[in-house]
Amino acid sequence: MRYPNGKPYTPASTTETAGNKSPEYARRGMTLEEDLNQSNKYYLNHGVAVIHKKPTPIQIVDVHYPKRSAAKITEAYFKQPSTTDYNGVYRGHYIDFEAKETRNAASFPMKNLHAHQLLHMEEIQRHGGLAFVLIRFTASQQTFLLDATHVLHFQANLDTYKRKSMPLPYIEEHGQIIAMGFAPRIDYLKAVDHYYFSHL
Amino acid sequence: MRYPNGKPYTPASTTETAGNKSPEYARRGMTLEEDLNQSNKYYLNHGVAVIHKKPTPIQIVDVHYPKRSAAKITEAYFKQPSTTDYNGVYRGHYIDFEAKETRNAASFPMKNLHAHQLLHMEEIQRHGGLAFVLIRFTASQQTFLLDATHVLHFQANLDTYKRKSMPLPYIEEHGQIIAMGFAPRIDYLKAVDHYYFSHL
């Protein structure tokens, strides 16, 4: 099953149980989304933050109501998300981000971010929220936090950069690498602390 | 079409166009959800705030991939939401709320709020976010903003109050009534200003 953007669909059930797997097994072929769901659950259960992934937007066309059983959706289609996938509250701040994986070894294709998602991140910053993108390079298993400012700057200067993919050095220079662990599997809020709050 | 909680389902399309109707027509039989979608769109377009309704959580069971056309979901079911329906950022603050309508004239049945939604609102407050419930009495068309603190207090003292419905006077005493208009149709952020920021 695939999202409109071609990203493989992960059933909620899989994601729900991801956190219960042994570390050895868990680390094998875990997607960034699974790592984030496990980490967000960890943050919630440990009183660190309240951050959730938004449900996949779906256009419902037809629903049946069988007697003595749950309503069954029989025709529906994936809709293009108009916001980012994750948001919540951390240390009194509104947090909003998109998480993307790329198989590219040395750059992140900007086409992975929709125009309305970039606009959304710009709006979030204008209203005092923290907006960023989590980018994972699946080949090296390196994951970076990149503040929306740098994503928007690159997007606004594609002609100057003469390319539609953010080079890894640009991400390394302006972003914050995220340590991988077991609990939480991906401690991206530590990167948030370092990037946004280290001056406090 | 109905949610698990029996609330009628409003197709996104209807909601999307709700804002374009004439005020006279628009005011006829508009649900609280439609009023909020129009108002949130107004807030977004006027740079007031970025607040969105979360998509309805759905458990996807089967999807077909017809050639040369969009992926079609052929079996799916409504899931119980684990958070509130609306969240976003306003004046640098994380905003989180649930919106409910009741046909009752003089009280709001607490069963309209799920245990995990109450817990969610409690967590939000603990992390410095603003959490509240918007309650509309459809008979009188009165809509109130009630901070989560008072919702949680009533829930925690059901035995004392000897009832499972919040009486209108309790809501009037602790809540903030919201003026209805045309643009935005329901200016609940004015109520937020008055309730949370009037001391500033």
Side-chain angles (χ1 to χ4, degrees):
Chain A
M1 190 182 318
R2 295 190 167 274
Y3 284 115
N5 60 14
K7 193 175 69 180
Y9 173 79
T10 317
S13 55
T14 311
T15 326
E16 294 307 324
T17 57
N20 309 328
K21 297 172 180 172
S22 77
E24 297 69 25
Y25 180 79
R27 274 258 45 89
R28 255 192 275 127
M30 282 286 119
T31 65
L32 178 55
E33 176 176 341
E34 289 170 313
D35 286 348
L36 286 169
N37 285 336
Q38 184 260 17
S39 301
N40 287 337
K41 202 169 293 179
Y42 175 92
Y43 289 143
L44 184 65
N45 297 339
H46 291 72
V48 177
V50 182
I51 297 167
H52 290 277
K53 182 181 191 297
K54 292 184 181 180
T56 308
I58 285 168
Q59 179 63 60
I60 296 166
V61 176
D62 197 14
V63 182
H64 288 187
Y65 297 92
K67 285 199 178 65
R68 285 181 298 283
S69 66
K72 178 183 178 181
I73 299 163
T74 54
E75 184 180 0
Y77 301 91
F78 293 104
K79 283 197 300 186
Q80 186 79 253
S82 57
T83 69
T84 49
D85 272 356
Y86 299 84
N87 73 356
V89 60
Y90 173 55
R91 296 176 62 165
H93 293 269
Y94 173 83
I95 298 260
D96 192 302
F97 64 96
E98 185 64 20
K100 295 291 185 189
E101 290 181 311
T102 179
R103 290 205 181 80
N104 292 18
S107 71
F108 175 77
M110 290 301 287
K111 64 166 161 50
N112 289 341
L113 298 170
H114 306 302
H116 44 264
Q117 290 180 318
L118 294 171
L119 181 63
H120 174 72
M121 291 191 278
E122 201 170 356
E123 295 283 354
I124 293 305
Q125 291 189 317
R126 184 172 303 132
H127 290 282
L130 304 182
F132 53 85
V133 178
L134 295 184
I135 299 172
R136 170 172 293 175
F137 291 90
T138 52
S140 63
Q141 281 291 307
Q142 280 192 313
T143 309
F144 296 88
L145 177 155
L146 186 61
D147 182 71
T149 307
H150 300 291
V151 179
L152 294 165
H153 171 80
F154 189 88
Q155 179 65 29
N157 295 277
L158 290 181
D159 301 348
T160 319
Y161 289 109
K162 293 188 175 54
R163 52 187 301 174
K164 293 199 166 85
S165 290
M166 261 193 294
L168 180 55
Y170 179 90
I171 298 169
E172 288 172 326
E173 180 188 349
H174 302 290
Q176 175 70 40
I177 194 155
I178 303 170
M180 295 299 295
F182 169 48
R185 201 144 53 203
I186 174 167
D187 197 358
Y188 66 93
L189 287 181
K190 186 181 282 181
V192 166
D193 287 337
H194 188 278
Y195 186 87
Y196 296 100
F197 304 130
S198 55
H199 60 284
L200 299 181
Chain B
M1 190 182 316
R2 298 191 166 275
Y3 283 115
N5 60 14
K7 193 177 68 178
Y9 173 79
T10 317
S13 55
T14 311
T15 328
E16 294 308 323
T17 58
N20 309 328
K21 296 173 179 172
S22 77
E24 297 70 27
Y25 179 79
R27 275 258 45 87
R28 253 190 277 129
M30 282 288 119
T31 65
L32 178 55
E33 177 176 340
E34 289 170 315
D35 286 348
L36 286 169
N37 285 335
Q38 184 259 17
S39 301
N40 287 338
K41 202 169 294 180
Y42 175 93
Y43 289 143
L44 184 64
N45 297 338
H46 290 72
V48 177
V50 182
I51 298 166
H52 290 277
K53 183 182 192 297
K54 292 185 181 180
T56 308
I58 286 169
Q59 178 65 58
I60 297 167
V61 176
D62 197 15
V63 182
H64 288 186
Y65 298 92
K67 283 200 176 65
R68 285 180 298 283
S69 66
K72 179 182 178 181
I73 298 163
T74 55
E75 184 179 0
Y77 301 90
F78 292 105
K79 283 197 301 186
Q80 187 79 254
S82 56
T83 68
T84 50
D85 273 356
Y86 299 84
N87 73 356
V89 60
Y90 173 54
R91 295 176 63 166
H93 294 269
Y94 174 84
I95 298 260
D96 193 300
F97 63 96
E98 185 65 20
K100 294 292 185 188
E101 290 182 311
T102 179
R103 290 205 181 78
N104 292 19
S107 73
F108 175 76
M110 290 301 285
K111 64 166 163 50
N112 289 340
L113 298 170
H114 306 301
H116 44 264
Q117 290 180 318
L118 294 170
L119 180 63
H120 174 73
M121 291 191 278
E122 201 171 356
E123 296 282 356
I124 293 304
Q125 291 191 315
R126 184 173 302 131
H127 290 280
L130 305 181
F132 52 85
V133 178
L134 295 183
I135 299 172
R136 171 172 293 174
F137 292 90
T138 53
S140 63
Q141 281 292 304
Q142 280 192 314
T143 309
F144 295 88
L145 177 155
L146 185 62
D147 181 71
T149 307
H150 300 291
V151 178
L152 295 165
H153 170 81
F154 189 88
Q155 179 65 29
N157 296 277
L158 290 180
D159 301 347
T160 317
Y161 289 110
K162 293 189 173 55
R163 52 187 301 173
K164 292 200 165 85
S165 290
M166 263 192 293
L168 180 54
Y170 180 90
I171 298 169
E172 289 173 327
E173 180 190 349
H174 301 291
Q176 175 71 40
I177 192 156
I178 302 171
M180 296 298 295
F182 169 48
R185 202 143 56 203
I186 174 167
D187 197 358
Y188 67 94
L189 288 181
K190 186 181 282 182
V192 166
D193 287 338
H194 187 280
Y195 186 88
Y196 296 100
F197 304 130
S198 56
H199 61 282
L200 299 181

